[in-house]
Every structure is written in C-alpha cells, then in structure tokens.
Amino acid sequence: MEPEAKRAKLFADVVDLDVGGTRFRTSESTLRKAPFFDALLTHSIDGTLAGGRTAEGAILVDRCPVLFKHVLEYLRSGIRPLAVKGSTTWEQFKLEFEFFGLSGEGLEEVGPQGEAIIDLDVGGTRFRMSRLTASRIPLLETMLEAEEEIGRK
C-alpha cells in the first residue's frame, strides 16, 4: 500500500463537526455511539444527506456547543456531566442527551453543593444520599473505598 493510501485509510475515521459555530474533531466510531450520529453518518455515506455541511466540509449540527462538548466527552470516555436533578442545567443536559438519542443515560446527579448522589438498597429499602454523607458512615465508607479500588483496576 502506498504512503498516501495508508494516510487516507488512517484518517478515514476522522469527522469534523460544526456545532453552533464551534468546530469539533472526533472519530466516526465515537460518534456512532449516539443514535443521532449513527443515522446521520449512514445518510452521509449513502449520499442521502441533504445539505448539512459547511463550506469547509464539516457536518453542521445546529445545537449549543457548550452543551455538546459534554455529550462528546460522554461518547469518548463515558464520563457523565454532573448536575443537580431538577435544576436548569440538569434539564438542559437531559434535553441535549435525548436529542442525540442517549435518553439522559449520560447524566450523573449531584446534590445542591455538587456532591455525587448515590442510591443504596438495604434489605429492599432504598436510600438516597450524597456520597459525602455516605462516607461519614464507617461501613459505607469502606464499601465506597472498595468500589473506587475496583474502578481503578
């Protein structure tokens, strides 16, 4: 295979996006994790995508770039944005994730001071508390530390 063909194959997976006037560059495989982009890229490859490209060839997505960067980070790494459930930010993230077909799965609830919220099931009774509060209970602190250790492996 010639060097030019190798280079073309190496970068064939790169996709340029223009989201609300902000440029993003990522891989096709990353974008395909979202149903919206899977359909969009399929239409683009099939040649059935009507318009939707900038003069530079980037795929035009008429959404808020500030919110989109969190969607893209979730698609890349699985890291979920944090927001207080019911807050304006939570609702904005929820709508954005739903738009891209992610059904809000990429959101992590936090308490009013920004602490993570966890759900506990104790003998069939569910408890909801901040991670900070749970860490103050010795048994739960040990369980949280063990969970973090497992997550690092």
Side-chain angles (χ1 to χ4, degrees), residues 94-111:
K94 185 173 182 280
L95 290 172
E96 202 67 9
F97 274 75
E98 288 173 354
F99 178 85
F100 291 105
L102 298 169
S103 304
E105 68 192 49
L107 298 176
E108 174 116 6
E109 183 180 352
V110 296

Side-chain angles (χ1 to χ4, degrees), residues 1-14:
M1 186 179 279
E2 291 186 38
E4 196 63 30
K6 283 183 182 177
R7 180 177 165 83
K9 183 174 175 134
L10 179 65
F11 293 104
D13 190 41
V14 175

Side-chain angles (χ1 to χ4, degrees), residues 2-151:
E2 291 186 38
E4 196 63 30
K6 283 183 182 177
R7 180 177 165 83
K9 183 174 175 134
L10 179 65
F11 293 104
D13 190 41
V14 175
V15 177
D16 288 317
L17 302 170
D18 180 323
V19 181
T22 301
R23 297 291 298 254
F24 292 89
R25 177 170 278 177
T26 190
S27 67
E28 180 179 332
S29 59
T30 294
L31 290 176
R32 284 192 180 273
K33 293 174 187 175
F36 171 88
F37 284 112
D38 188 44
L40 184 82
L41 292 168
T42 298
H43 285 292
S44 181
I45 290 167
D46 293 346
T48 56
L49 179 65
R53 290 208 181 254
T54 64
E56 297 82 25
I59 296 173
L60 180 64
V61 181
D62 190 18
R63 302 299 291 179
C64 173
V66 175
L67 295 172
F68 179 74
K69 73 179 181 179
H70 297 284
V71 173
L72 185 56
E73 182 59 34
Y74 173 69
L75 295 174
R76 287 176 172 154
S77 64
I79 295 173
R80 300 177 283 181
L82 303 173
V84 176
K85 190 169 186 175
S87 68
T88 301
T89 303
W90 175 275
E91 294 305 319
Q92 288 175 324
F93 281 147
K94 185 173 182 280
L95 290 172
E96 202 67 9
F97 274 75
E98 288 173 354
F99 178 85
F100 291 105
L102 298 169
S103 304
E105 68 192 49
L107 298 176
E108 174 116 6
E109 183 180 352
V110 296
Q113 282 74 44
E115 71 275 13
I117 301 296
I118 61 172
D119 291 310
L120 300 171
D121 184 330
V122 181
T125 302
R126 296 199 62 164
F127 296 92
R128 191 153 238 244
M129 65 181 70
S130 73
R131 191 170 185 89
L132 178 63
T133 299
S135 71
R136 291 181 180 144
I137 303 168
L139 177 60
L140 294 179
E141 180 182 30
T142 303
M143 292 171 62
L144 291 171
E145 287 171 358
E147 181 183 73
E148 288 173 3
E149 184 64 33
I150 291 169

